[in-house]
Amino acid sequence: MLRQVLQAGLRSSFQALGRFVASHPVFFASAPVLVSVLLGASFSRYRVEGNVESLLVPKHSLAKIEGNLVDSLFPVNRSKHTLYSDLQTPGRYGRVIVTSRRGSILDPLHTDLVLKLHRAVVQLQVPVLGFNYSFSHLCLLDDKNTCIIDDIIRALEDSQSARFANRSSLPLRYPITRLADGRMAYIGHQLGGVCTVYFHWSPGVRSARALQLTYYLQARGALTDRVASQWEQAFCGELGRFGAGHPELSLYPFTSSSLRTDFQASSVLARRPLLASVCVCLVLAVGCCSMRDCVRAKPWLGLLALLSIALSGLTAAGILNLTGTTYNSTYLGVPFILLGHGLFGTFEMLSSWRRTREDQHVKERVASVFSDVMLRYSGATLLHQVSLGLAASPLTNLEAVRLFCRCAALGVTVGYLYTLSFYATCLVATGYLETGYRHGCFCRRVPKKGALDTKPRWYRCLMYTRYQDETHSQTHSHTPNSTHTHTPNRCYGDWITNTYVKPFMVLLYLVYISFGLMGFLQVSQGSEPSSLVAMDTGTLLYARAQQRYFSSYSPVIGFYVYESAPYWNTSVQRDLLEYAKGFQRISWLESYLDYLTERNLSTTSQSRESFTRMLRLSFLRQPQFAHFADDIIFAERDEGEEPEMAASRVFLVAKTTENKREEMSVLLDTLRRLSLTSRVRFLIFNPSFVYLDRYATAVSSPLRHSLMAVLFLLGLSSLAVVEPLVAVWLSLTLLSVQFGVLGFMTLWGVELDCVSVLCLISALGHSADCCGPLLATFSSGRGDSRTVWVRLALERHGVPSLQTLICYTAALLPLAAVRSNLTRSLFRCLVLTAFCSALHALAFLPTLLTFLPPAKKTGSRQGDRGEGEGLREEVECVEMVDSTRVVDQITTV
């Protein structure tokens, strides 16, 4: 009883709202346009997001906390030349991978070209404010105030000097080699595609296919950052010119701004395809609103529906601009969410309008449309708001997901208000055209039959309307709100509920579940930032070369002992050496212990003072070990006492395979668990860890939260507003659609990243749009069998669902032409969402509802026939027609 009272009250309220909107069409038509124009002027504040890391990195993670601690001890920006990472290196830098098209990159010819390229880069100048800045003005400095350059350059220069002097040079080892000054250097990320040969039981380099050079820059202030940015652009230009002049080399440049530029390039590449989407959707929407009857056809409503959606998007964008929101390429999916939800509401309103009695006043017809549609449309909008709103809350740990869902939720809200106002007044205007017996497209009054008979055939075809036949009949039988028995949707309803078709639909659903399960078991994470950039860009080409030639070793992992430890203790030394065992390592402790052993000094029985004194005054003053001074922090003690070692670090490199990121994630978890039980307090860090740490949880948690919130909302609303049967069936449908989309997108090659999760969240609302009206009409029916009510539900909602599906899918097709990984994932996920939702709305649900419990209760009371179904009774009307088509009725039932 409470449910019936609430539904009746809501329908009455929407009916009154529809009557009010129809009574003030000028205000409700002009207000949205005026607001959109005013807010559209805020695009002068349009800004593009410049920090990609803030979008794609989990906001709250242990790796960020560890990074802050590491930066306080050993500044990461100064350590980036030793703490190597590929796409996540902090600060400003320029990097290039050089490969040889034939032969080894270490051949004399190629070596000379690489050194020539190095000299060209070092001598590169950038004019800023009347001063020419070169690399020497911007470079990162070492403790001797000289520019830091890669160790492989020093090795190549030594090799070239030895060749010119006709003497032998030191053999190049891999991945750790000894330089001419006696220092050990790791070159695993500077030399790639290496073929090794053993010299005295240690691996040496016989040939190499690739070489990587990095030029680190300083960006301590606004001016230096500006100069460094321009230097990066000049760096890419110089490499392009050098590569054109030396075709025997292939160059793959990458800078600190490449990832941001190529990530935002997707929105630039998508401009023309998005314009094509609008045009295609416009043509189909106009076609879907047209019909044979020129008076009842409303092609302008298709155009005005898209205009209403565009105005809502413009208003939402204006609000976001005023609130200081920055734009990023993931927002490309927002217009399609607005399009799907907006088309659902407009086509449902048009379908309901065509079921109203044509002899009613326009205001009453609009009120009837609001009473019939707006309760379902408001419920679907609420589901969108809950799913998107919770994902936009602070509970979401991924900024890209949070910003996208906030923008989409705002757009859906504005679109709902504009459908109630702007589109409803457009429906009022076309209603008056229909009442005035005017053409639905040209707004011209349709001639009477006598005047029309003298016109050409094409003109009679263009002006065809069934009112012409009605005007020559003074009395006839009329069935308001009834549907012709031979319409396509009735034929489809009879076919899909046929006894012989049902087994095939059930079998099709089992196949659907099987393939969905197959893909679900193969879901993989997509935490690689390069998977979200445009194709054929520098970032993607660089990432492919990096994967091809430099995937043998992991990024350099910093092993940080952040508390004072008794390094002179034998057990501590043994633990630290055991932790580093199995890694390629550059360790001050290991080198120091070897140094003591070579001098026949004890490594186990020394006191703290002697251990520290020998380290400071002897070991670190050796030229080949002086660089280890950057890896140890000494804390002063009382006067006369030897300083204490407050913190230290060791660099580790792991051997990896092609699945580098998965192995790095496993390694990170393993070493963290080890740090919890170790007697020595340590942590590990690399700038790439912020992309790996808790990424799976950060990506999947918004989807779980949104799904749980939607299910909770459906369960709560079933207590008061929604039929419990609708809540149960809709919950199962949402789960089934989500399961199918997740499985099929995996089989289609889409990984679980922030873009695919955005689409999965929006799929909750889209599937509710498609399947909610069908379930509501079915569950509200009384007095007939389930098959009859399934057919009736398809009659009423099958055509709007099909129209929405056609326009929405056609609008997505041009998106497939955009050469971008981001738009490719977006296209595949949204197409699968539309496909799975259509399968459930038009095939699976109509079949399953005919035989799955609970059964319909049959009865003879007409008052229980359901939502507005008493209007389907045959009503005999006697119409008296005059020249103004003002009709009085004498009705008998």
Side-chain angles (χ1 to χ4, degrees):
M1 182 182 299
L2 176 62
R3 187 180 302 112
Q4 292 177 357
V5 169
L6 287 176
Q7 287 187 356
L10 290 174
R11 293 184 186 280
S12 300
S13 300
F14 281 120
Q15 188 173 19
L17 177 62
R19 192 176 291 110
F20 181 76
V21 171
S23 301
H24 305 83
V26 176
F27 171 78
F28 286 102
S30 58
V33 177
L34 181 61
V35 171
S36 300
V37 172
L38 292 177
L39 291 176
S42 67
F43 270 88
S44 58
R45 301 188 179 187
Y46 171 85
R47 294 185 298 115
V48 177
E49 178 60 51
N51 189 358
V52 178
E53 179 179 330
S54 65
L55 294 175
L56 306 179
V57 170
K59 189 190 310 182
H60 307 290
S61 66
L62 184 58
K64 282 194 170 183
I65 300 175
E66 293 171 342
N68 293 332
L69 177 58
V70 167
D71 194 59
S72 66
L73 298 174
F74 304 92
V76 175
N77 193 52
R78 287 193 57 192
S79 307
K80 56 188 177 183
H81 64 287
T82 51
L83 198 64
Y84 171 80
S85 180
D86 44 18
L87 297 182
Q88 297 87 25
T89 303
R92 293 280 187 180
Y93 60 92
R95 182 173 289 159
V96 58
I97 294 178
V98 185
T99 63
S100 58
R101 298 184 184 272
R102 180 179 300 176
S104 172
I105 195 67
L106 299 178
D107 292 343
L109 174 63
H110 295 148
T111 299
D112 294 342
L113 289 177
V114 170
L115 293 177
K116 180 180 178 181
L117 172 64
H118 170 67
R119 288 190 294 269
V121 171
V122 171
Q123 296 170 5
L124 183 65
Q125 294 185 344
V126 178
V128 177
L129 299 178
F131 186 79
N132 292 327
Y133 290 87
S134 64
F135 177 71
S136 60
H137 298 101
L138 302 171
C139 65
L140 194 67
L141 302 176
D142 59 12
D143 53 352
K144 298 179 182 179
N145 288 329
T146 58
C147 291
I148 294 176
I149 60 174
D150 288 337
D151 295 319
I152 191 64
I153 291 293
R154 303 186 187 278
L156 294 181
E157 289 176 343
D158 293 340
S159 175
Q160 186 185 59
S161 299
R163 190 173 71 249
F164 290 162
N166 197 20
R167 58 179 174 83
S168 61
S169 61
L170 289 175
L172 197 62
R173 309 291 182 175
Y174 187 82
I176 296 178
T177 189
R178 183 180 297 274
L179 300 179
D181 58 1
R183 183 167 55 90
M184 303 298 293
Y186 172 73
I187 59 171
H189 59 271
Q190 299 173 12
L191 208 59
V194 176
C195 293
T196 57
V197 62
Y198 280 84
F199 300 107
H200 304 291
W201 305 101
S202 62
V205 178
R206 183 175 63 183
S207 65
R209 293 294 309 279
L211 186 144
Q212 182 169 231
L213 304 177
T214 306
Y215 300 90
Y216 299 101
L217 309 175
Q218 299 185 56
R220 292 173 295 183
L223 178 59
T224 55
D225 186 74
R226 174 187 171 187
V227 176
S229 176
Q230 295 190 19
W231 189 92
E232 289 179 356
Q233 298 177 9
F235 171 78
C236 294
E238 179 64 27
L239 292 180
R241 290 188 294 270
F242 190 90
H246 299 85
E248 58 269 35
L249 296 180
S250 297
L251 305 179
Y252 303 95
F254 184 79
T255 66
S256 62
S257 57
S258 295
L259 182 60
R260 179 185 71 250
T261 303
D262 296 339
F263 176 73
Q264 302 294 358
S266 298
S267 57
V268 178
L269 296 174
R271 289 175 181 174
R272 292 186 178 180
L274 285 178
L275 183 60
S277 296
V278 172
C279 296
V280 171
C281 187
L282 177 61
V283 172
L284 290 176
V286 170
C288 290
C289 295
S290 303
M291 56 190 306
R292 180 73 176 86
D293 192 324
C294 70
V295 173
R296 299 190 68 193
K298 292 175 173 52
W300 287 110
L301 282 184
L303 172 63
L304 295 172
L306 291 184
L307 179 59
S308 175
I309 297 171
L311 290 176
S312 64
L314 182 61
T315 302
I319 295 174
L320 292 174
N321 288 330
L322 291 177
T323 56
T325 303
T326 55
Y327 178 84
N328 66 81
S329 290
T330 59
Y331 286 2
L332 288 173
V334 174
F336 295 100
I337 296 179
L338 303 184
L339 181 67
H341 186 60
L343 288 177
F344 157 72
T346 54
F347 283 133
E348 278 286 336
M349 291 178 69
L350 179 60
S351 176
S352 178
W353 171 272
R354 287 172 174 166
R355 292 195 302 269
T356 57
R357 294 175 52 177
E358 298 172 359
D359 58 315
Q360 287 182 311
H361 194 274
V362 171
K363 296 181 181 179
E364 296 303 320
R365 296 183 72 178
V366 173
S368 178
V369 168
F370 270 62
S371 175
D372 180 39
V373 174
M374 283 306 158
L375 184 58
R376 294 191 301 270
Y377 187 51
S378 301
T381 304
L382 183 60
L383 285 178
H384 275 279
Q385 292 296 333
V386 170
S387 60
L388 294 171
L390 192 60
S393 68
L395 295 175
T396 299
N397 200 19
L398 210 59
E399 192 70 6
V401 177
R402 193 181 69 83
L403 293 177
F404 176 91
C405 292
R406 184 179 70 175
C407 179
L410 178 61
V412 168
T413 303
V414 177
Y416 171 77
L417 297 177
Y418 281 12
T419 301
L420 263 65
S421 56
F422 181 80
Y423 184 77
T425 56
C426 297
L427 193 63
V428 171
T430 57
Y432 280 114
L433 291 178
E434 182 179 334
T435 302
Y437 204 40
R438 294 182 176 275
H439 198 283
C441 182
F442 305 110
C443 305
R444 179 178 178 178
R445 189 174 183 86
V446 177
K448 296 183 179 179
K449 183 174 179 57
L452 199 61
D453 292 339
T454 60
K455 300 294 183 180
R457 180 176 298 179
W458 65 268
Y459 189 82
R460 293 199 305 269
C461 180
L462 189 63
M463 293 294 179
Y464 170 79
T465 176
R466 65 184 179 87
Y467 284 115
Q468 298 167 358
D469 300 330
E470 293 175 356
T471 56
H472 288 75
S473 175
Q474 297 296 323
T475 62
H476 68 283
S477 245
H478 179 58
T479 308
N481 210 32
S482 63
T483 307
H484 296 290
T485 58
H486 299 291
T487 55
N489 48 343
R490 169 61 69 87
C491 295
Y492 177 77
D494 295 340
W495 178 80
I496 197 67
T497 56
N498 188 282
T499 305
Y500 300 102
V501 176
K502 292 179 185 180
F504 293 98
M505 292 295 105
V506 174
L507 180 62
L508 179 62
Y509 185 70
L510 294 178
V511 172
Y512 169 86
I513 292 296
S514 300
F515 278 92
L517 180 62
M518 184 189 307
F520 181 79
L521 297 176
Q522 303 176 31
V523 171
S524 60
Q525 300 176 22
S527 59
E528 182 63 55
S530 61
S531 63
L532 300 177
V533 301
M535 298 179 183
D536 304 326
T537 55
T539 298
L540 197 59
L541 296 176
Y542 170 83
R544 289 173 180 172
Q546 180 83 23
Q547 177 66 23
R548 181 178 180 182
Y549 298 110
F550 298 93
S551 60
S552 299
Y553 291 96
S554 70
V556 179
I557 302 171
F559 183 95
Y560 298 88
V561 179
Y562 56 88
E563 291 183 356
S564 179
Y567 297 97
W568 58 92
N569 188 287
T570 305
S571 61
V572 172
Q573 294 175 7
R574 185 170 54 251
D575 288 346
L576 292 177
L577 294 177
E578 183 66 25
Y579 296 156
K581 186 178 179 180
F583 291 91
Q584 297 290 338
R585 53 201 176 272
I586 301 293
S587 171
W588 69 267
L589 178 61
E590 190 171 346
S591 299
Y592 182 46
L593 296 179
D594 292 341
Y595 176 81
L596 294 177
T597 303
E598 290 174 359
R599 282 156 180 75
N600 296 321
L601 298 175
S602 174
T603 61
T604 59
S605 60
Q606 294 191 35
S607 63
R608 183 190 67 83
E609 289 78 6
S610 61
F611 184 90
T612 308
R613 186 182 305 110
M614 180 65 69
L615 175 66
R616 291 175 56 247
L617 302 180
S618 178
F619 176 75
L620 294 179
R621 292 187 178 182
Q622 301 295 322
Q624 66 271 29
F625 303 128
H627 63 282
F628 285 129
D630 294 334
D631 299 337
I632 305 172
I633 297 178
F634 292 98
E636 296 293 335
R637 296 172 62 91
D638 294 337
E639 185 177 357
E641 293 190 17
E642 193 67 28
E644 183 181 14
M645 298 175 60
S648 68
R649 66 180 178 183
V650 172
F651 295 113
L652 308 176
V653 181
K655 184 72 174 177
T656 58
T657 61
E658 293 183 357
N659 298 322
K660 181 190 293 188
R661 299 192 71 84
E662 290 78 3
E663 295 175 358
M664 288 296 295
S665 180
V666 173
L667 178 63
L668 176 62
D669 294 337
T670 303
L671 290 178
R672 277 183 176 167
R673 287 195 298 268
L674 181 62
S675 67
L676 298 176
T677 59
S678 173
R679 289 178 294 179
V680 179
R681 297 297 180 184
F682 72 89
L683 58 86
I684 59 173
F685 178 74
N686 181 275
S688 62
F689 287 175
V690 295
Y691 286 85
L692 298 173
D693 192 21
R694 299 181 59 83
Y695 186 83
T697 305
V699 166
S700 58
S701 60
L703 178 60
R704 292 198 305 269
H705 294 161
S706 298
L707 185 58
M708 292 172 59
V710 168
L711 297 180
F712 177 76
L713 176 64
L714 290 173
L716 185 65
S717 61
S718 65
L719 301 177
V721 181
V722 182
E723 292 283 345
L725 184 61
V726 176
V728 172
W729 272 107
L730 189 56
S731 300
L732 295 176
T733 302
L734 295 182
L735 291 174
S736 180
V737 170
Q738 286 285 299
F739 182 76
V741 173
L742 182 59
F744 285 121
M745 81 175 192
T746 304
L747 295 179
W748 205 352
V750 178
E751 296 179 325
L752 188 63
D753 54 16
C754 65
V755 175
S756 56
V757 166
L758 298 177
C759 299
L760 288 171
I761 294 174
S762 64
L764 293 170
H766 187 82
S767 54
D769 288 343
C770 293
C771 304
L774 180 76
L775 292 170
T777 300
F778 171 81
S779 62
S780 64
R782 301 291 186 274
D784 287 318
S785 66
R786 288 179 292 189
T787 302
V788 171
W789 282 105
V790 167
R791 292 173 179 172
L792 179 60
L794 283 175
E795 281 185 51
R796 300 188 63 179
H797 308 294
V799 171
S801 297
L802 186 61
Q803 290 171 333
T804 303
L805 173 67
I806 292 174
C807 296
Y808 182 72
T809 306
L812 287 174
L813 291 180
L815 200 63
V818 182
R819 293 191 56 78
S820 169
N821 291 321
L822 187 149
T823 54
R824 181 187 63 181
S825 300
L826 193 67
F827 166 76
R828 292 181 178 181
C829 293
L830 292 179
V831 165
L832 287 175
T833 298
F835 172 73
C836 294
S837 301
L839 272 181
H840 283 76
L842 301 178
F844 296 154
L845 283 178
T847 300
L848 298 176
L849 290 174
T850 58
F851 61 86
L852 289 181
K856 287 288 183 183
K857 295 181 180 180
T858 58
S860 60
R861 293 185 303 167
Q862 296 178 357
D864 293 337
R865 293 183 64 85
E867 174 189 330
E869 296 306 324
L871 296 176
R872 295 188 68 252
E873 300 179 34
E874 292 289 334
V875 180
E876 182 180 359
C877 301
V878 179
E879 298 186 356
M880 303 179 65
V881 184
D882 60 10
S883 59
T884 61
R885 299 185 68 252
V886 178
V887 182
D888 289 333
Q889 299 184 25
I890 302 174
T891 306
T892 59
V893 180

